[in-house]
Amino acid sequence: MIKKPPLILLVAFLFSLILHLTLLQQWLHHKHPSPPKTDDVVLIQLHKDEPQPSIEKNHPTSFNHPQGAYLDAPPPPSAEDWAFATKYSLKNSKAYRYMWGQQVRSMMGTAYEGADQGQVRFSIEIAPNGSITRVETIWKTSDVAEALARKAIFAMPSLPPTPTGKSLIFARTISFTPYASDGPPIYKDDCLPDAPLSSNLFTWDGKSEPRVPKTTPITQIDPKALTDCMKQLPQDSIEAEDAHNQRQLKTWRSNKLN
């Protein structure tokens, strides 16, 4: 009759076997390492071959944008838009000035919520042949917005001649924010004279002699001239009406807070 080995010997044998197998596996892995996965090789090769982006500090095209609101650049004016703008001379070539601003904003790219967002206001002069002769910054709330706008201005395609055949001088604010409410202008009131400027009758510095400011009388319009002018006005779009209402609401809220 064969006696069974004690239990303690079986446990010791199994422990020794497991230990030797573990050491053998580690030795084989050291001598013959496993090749990397195919996906890892492809990923490493792509990162190696791709050019590294040049990221400027505080530049809106960096990859460090926080998750937040953004607004894509609007499309540039179409050929039909510019054809209309070159013939519309009312209100200091109103349509031409708007198309110019839209062209600039379309070339500035996506506006992201954050430190780079802001506005910049320029004083612009355009020669009769459409060439830009003067660009001056009046004020700005973002260095990035100003830099991108200036870059776009000097990279713009050739502009058509001005509607009046004379130099066009105007000021224009470019909004580089995800909350910009700028939109097509309203043309329906362009045949009416500008409202007279008025001032607060109760404004007084406390030192000089109080005086009542003079108001400009309303200009009388010749009915025939008004009729002829009305024929030039385009049909305002729904987008233009909505943008106009948004601007009026924003102005009303601002005045109410002040």
Side-chain angles (χ1 to χ4, degrees):
M1 183 176 181
I2 302 175
K3 293 183 178 181
K4 294 182 179 181
L7 181 60
I8 189 172
L9 294 179
L10 291 175
V11 172
F13 172 75
L14 292 175
F15 178 77
S16 177
L17 180 62
I18 293 173
L19 178 61
H20 282 80
L21 290 175
T22 302
L23 293 176
L24 178 62
Q25 182 181 14
Q26 292 182 354
W27 181 82
L28 290 174
H29 180 75
H30 178 73
K31 289 294 185 180
H32 305 283
S34 300
K37 295 180 180 179
T38 305
D39 293 343
D40 295 337
V41 175
V42 174
L43 183 61
I44 294 172
Q45 187 66 26
L46 286 175
H47 281 288
K48 182 179 179 181
D49 295 341
E50 289 178 352
Q52 295 298 317
S54 176
I55 304 175
E56 299 176 7
K57 185 179 180 181
N58 296 328
H59 195 279
T61 56
S62 68
F63 300 102
N64 298 319
H65 286 302
Q67 295 296 325
Y70 68 92
L71 181 65
D72 293 331
S78 64
E80 292 77 11
D81 292 333
W82 278 116
F84 162 69
T86 55
K87 298 178 181 179
Y88 196 84
S89 60
L90 300 176
K91 300 296 182 182
N92 193 32
S93 304
K94 184 177 185 178
Y96 195 103
R97 292 185 285 116
Y98 170 73
M99 299 304 172
W100 181 90
Q102 186 181 15
Q103 179 69 53
V104 174
R105 179 61 188 88
S106 70
M107 298 171 64
M108 293 173 64
T110 303
Y112 292 90
E113 180 182 27
D116 294 336
Q117 70 179 16
Q119 296 178 320
V120 55
R121 186 167 180 81
F122 293 109
S123 176
I124 303 297
E125 181 173 355
I126 300 178
N129 63 359
S131 60
I132 300 175
T133 57
R134 179 170 58 85
V135 179
E136 295 179 0
T137 300
I138 301 176
W139 55 260
K140 60 181 176 179
T141 63
S142 167
D143 292 336
V144 171
E146 181 192 25
L148 289 177
R150 282 185 170 273
K151 181 179 179 181
I153 290 171
F154 294 109
M156 291 177 69
S158 299
L159 300 178
T162 61
T164 61
K166 300 178 182 179
S167 294
L168 178 60
I169 300 174
F170 62 97
R172 176 73 182 186
T173 300
I174 305 296
S175 297
F176 188 66
T177 76
Y179 309 106
S181 58
D182 193 15
I186 290 289
Y187 299 102
K188 63 183 179 181
D189 298 327
D190 288 358
C191 290
L192 302 177
D194 294 331
L197 298 177
S198 60
S199 59
N200 190 342
L201 300 178
F202 303 98
T203 300
W204 183 47
D205 59 7
K207 299 179 182 179
S208 60
E209 182 179 353
R211 60 180 180 176
V212 178
K214 297 181 180 180
T215 57
T216 305
I218 299 177
T219 304
Q220 297 297 324
I221 308 175
D222 179 65
K224 184 179 183 304
L226 178 61
T227 302
D228 293 339
C229 181
M230 294 289 290
K231 296 177 181 179
Q232 303 179 39
L233 301 182
Q235 180 68 38
D236 289 323
S237 63
I238 297 177
E239 293 78 11
E241 293 282 359
D242 182 64
H244 174 73
N245 294 335
Q246 291 295 331
R247 289 192 293 268
Q248 294 296 319
L249 181 61
K250 185 177 180 180
T251 302
W252 179 82
R253 286 177 176 174
S254 176
N255 292 336
K256 186 177 180 180
L257 292 175
N258 295 332

